[in-house]
Amino acid sequence: MNSLQPTSIIDQHTDLYLQKVQERLGAPMKMQAVLDSALEIEPLAKVHGRYNLLELRPNTMPNPYDIPAASPPTDIIFDIPPEVHNWAHSYFQFTATPQANSPSIRWQPCDGIPHLRAITLMSRENEVLLNIPDVCNYTNMTFRRQTKVEDAVTLDKPGMGGFFEGLTVDYKSATDRPAAAPLKAQWSANEPNYAYPGTGANMTPAVNVRVPFNMIRDCILSLDKDLWFGKTLQLTFSFNAGKKIVFDGAAIETGAASTAAIRISDFSVRLAVQAEQSIAAITKAKVMAGEFTTLCDWIAPYINVIPANTTGISRTFLRGDGLTLKKIHTGFYNTTEQGSTIYDHNNVNGAKFDGFYTQLNGELLIRPYVLINNTAPNVANYLDWQARRHKLRGSCIESSNEYYFNWVLTEDFTEDKPLYAKPLYPDSQHPVLDGKIVDKE
């Protein structure tokens, strides 16, 4: 059997190439020496980062830690050690178990993080990196829009040892909406569930919660970047009252406020710590070299939630709010924030309002939209859906019906891509100052 000689094959191909080049250029050339010297170049070693998940437990946590139905409990605080870490590869988890039988069936809303009222990340010197009030509503407004549908279907499912990860596309669970017919039936096969049911008049559902921090978009928790602050940070979780976490009802659309306390157990944060010491050393060196002098000197997206009980909202953004204005999410929620209407922002056929407009610095961003044609009642014009559907392409909002049942107006001042496709960290192709410049001191 003849053995192949790779070097002779290279030589033959090179000689043939040189012959063709000489024929076209009419000049003698010698490339063999160049090829030989190139083969002798020593390749550069490339090191890829990898992460170890460091398990963190709360500083102090009552045992048992029960959430009353009508009032929020004390906050839970984690110390984040001064390691090089990446929030986008980290997650938190706990188990939530009702402590009283349901009169019929108990339901947990499952498009967002209903358990949490606020998340705060700051140093012991009170330098604030993150402060999200109304986490439950913010995640309910954004998860469907900013999650790719093919990613949503691969998120874990609660029950049978699985975890709830912020969204659930579970065909074996209840797939109805918290609304009367004809809106009760879900519109598409991939439409995420609205509430996860228990099994009857008992203390279910007991839900294992495990939420990747990168689900909470447009903040430091979704930055896919190694960070080091050289000091201990404090991560604080504030829980909702029990009636914002679960509700009771024989059907999803007839639920009432639950009176059951919710027990939180086995609470932990799994922090992704950079395991490659050479990469960790580079990150530390950049900080030590003075690239970042304080926690707030470097650019990171920041969320500001503005709740208001009004038919119109006006807000002035100053330089103290940030360098650029990236997005504004606006949702109109039911004033009864318990039972089946905990997270109701349905506006199909003008259920909440029949028109709106927005403006910035006195200039119209959206011309006045009349959502309902007054000459033909219950026939929607769907103008804002048409204007924004390209931003929702590939997301968990797959139809105008789903858009209006989960109505949120997103003013996006960043580059013109679908919301789920936005980079988690800016690079040379995605300018840091993407968005409307806030030029007022």
Side-chain angles (χ1 to χ4, degrees):
M1 180 179 294
N2 295 327
S3 60
L4 295 176
Q5 298 294 330
T7 54
S8 65
I9 295 176
I10 292 175
D11 291 344
Q12 291 168 14
H13 281 278
T14 304
D15 290 342
L16 180 60
Y17 171 77
L18 289 172
Q19 180 182 349
K20 295 295 184 184
V21 171
Q22 291 176 24
E23 290 175 356
R24 298 189 66 178
L25 299 181
M29 298 185 65
K30 184 61 178 175
M31 296 285 288
Q32 185 62 50
V34 177
L35 177 65
D36 290 343
S37 63
L39 292 176
E40 293 171 2
I41 295 176
E42 194 169 323
L44 295 175
K46 187 174 183 179
V47 179
H48 296 277
R50 59 185 178 87
Y51 300 99
N52 291 331
L53 290 174
L54 177 63
E55 181 179 352
L56 305 176
R57 293 287 178 173
N59 295 353
T60 58
M61 182 172 176
N63 187 19
Y65 183 72
D66 289 345
I67 299 175
S71 59
T74 57
D75 294 344
I76 301 298
I77 300 175
F78 290 81
D79 278 344
I80 306 301
E83 303 281 354
V84 176
H85 61 276
N86 187 317
W87 285 109
H89 293 263
S90 308
Y91 61 88
F92 65 89
Q93 68 178 43
F94 55 81
T95 298
T97 308
Q99 295 301 293
N101 289 335
S102 169
S104 51
I105 297 175
R106 183 163 289 129
W107 306 77
Q108 181 205 285
C110 58
D111 56 339
I113 312 174
H115 312 82
L116 295 182
R117 178 170 47 90
I119 300 178
T120 305
L121 179 65
M122 60 194 305
S123 73
R124 290 175 175 174
E125 295 78 28
N126 294 324
E127 294 172 294
V128 180
L129 288 165
L130 175 76
N131 181 21
I132 312 177
D134 288 325
V135 173
C136 49
N137 287 83
Y138 175 74
T139 55
N140 177 259
M141 293 169 69
T142 58
F143 275 8
R144 290 176 186 265
R145 284 161 174 73
Q146 300 193 160
T147 302
K148 201 173 182 179
V149 66
E150 63 190 56
D151 293 336
V153 298
T154 63
L155 291 173
D156 203 2
K157 279 71 172 170
M160 298 297 291
F163 287 86
F164 169 64
E165 296 188 301
L167 280 178
T168 300
V169 180
D170 186 357
Y171 309 111
K172 294 185 177 180
S173 182
T175 57
D176 289 337
R177 294 169 168 178
L183 293 179
K184 182 173 181 176
Q186 290 189 191
W187 210 255
S188 68
N190 292 326
E191 185 175 356
N193 300 60
Y194 291 85
Y196 180 71
T199 58
N202 49 38
M203 293 193 295
T204 61
V207 179
N208 296 319
V209 177
R210 176 185 287 169
V211 179
F213 281 114
N214 64 13
M215 288 287 289
I216 308 174
R217 300 296 292 268
D218 297 321
C219 68
I220 189 175
L221 300 179
S222 60
L223 290 184
D224 192 0
K225 180 176 178 65
D226 283 3
L227 302 173
W228 183 69
F229 302 106
K231 59 179 71 178
T232 298
L233 305 178
Q234 289 191 326
L235 179 65
T236 302
F237 292 86
S238 303
F239 281 83
N240 270 319
K243 64 182 180 180
K244 281 279 286 184
I245 301 174
V246 294
F247 60 91
D248 296 333
I252 189 173
E253 74 274 17
T254 60
S258 176
T259 59
I262 307 295
R263 177 163 296 176
I264 303 297
S265 59
D266 199 25
F267 194 11
S268 67
V269 168
R270 307 300 171 99
L271 185 69
V273 175
Q274 180 58 254
E276 287 292 344
Q277 292 305 308
S278 60
I279 295 179
I282 292 173
T283 302
K284 292 180 180 180
K286 288 183 178 181
V287 177
M288 298 299 290
E291 290 191 21
F292 315 120
T293 56
T294 72
L295 295 186
C296 301
D297 279 348
W298 52 278
I299 296 174
Y302 192 88
I303 298 168
N304 195 345
V305 179
I306 312 167
N309 293 320
T310 178
T311 56
I313 299 175
S314 177
R315 171 66 195 267
T316 300
F317 297 98
L318 303 174
R319 178 55 60 83
D321 294 308
L323 294 176
T324 62
L325 177 62
K326 292 183 174 293
K327 299 174 187 174
I328 301 175
H329 303 284
T330 304
F332 289 86
Y333 281 78
N334 198 306
T335 55
T336 304
E337 296 185 78
Q338 59 187 31
S340 295
T341 57
I342 293 180
Y343 300 106
D344 167 31
H345 49 121
N346 164 35
N347 198 45
V348 174
N349 291 330
K352 298 286 187 297
F353 61 94
D354 60 7
F356 69 95
Y357 69 93
T358 62
Q359 60 182 17
L360 182 66
N361 295 335
E363 297 183 6
L364 281 174
L365 293 173
I366 300 179
R367 68 179 181 81
Y369 275 148
V370 178
L371 300 182
I372 304 301
N373 187 334
N374 293 326
T375 61
N378 298 322
V379 178
N381 289 331
Y382 293 162
L383 295 179
D384 61 319
W385 154 252
Q386 291 293 342
R388 276 157 180 73
R389 60 186 304 176
H390 70 290
K391 292 281 187 177
L392 301 171
R393 186 177 65 252
S395 75
C396 293
I397 303 291
E398 296 187 293
S399 68
S400 60
N401 181 276
E402 293 166 69
Y403 174 82
Y404 285 104
F405 190 78
N406 300 277
W407 191 89
V408 170
L409 175 67
T410 298
E411 297 280 17
D412 187 0
F413 304 111
T414 63
E415 59 185 323
D416 197 22
K417 288 185 176 182
L419 296 176
Y420 75 82
K422 301 292 181 172
L424 294 181
Y425 191 76
D427 55 32
S428 58
Q429 294 182 342
H430 303 95
V432 170
L433 297 182
D434 195 14
K436 290 282 187 181
I437 302 295
V438 180
D439 55 5
K440 294 183 178 180
E441 297 293 338

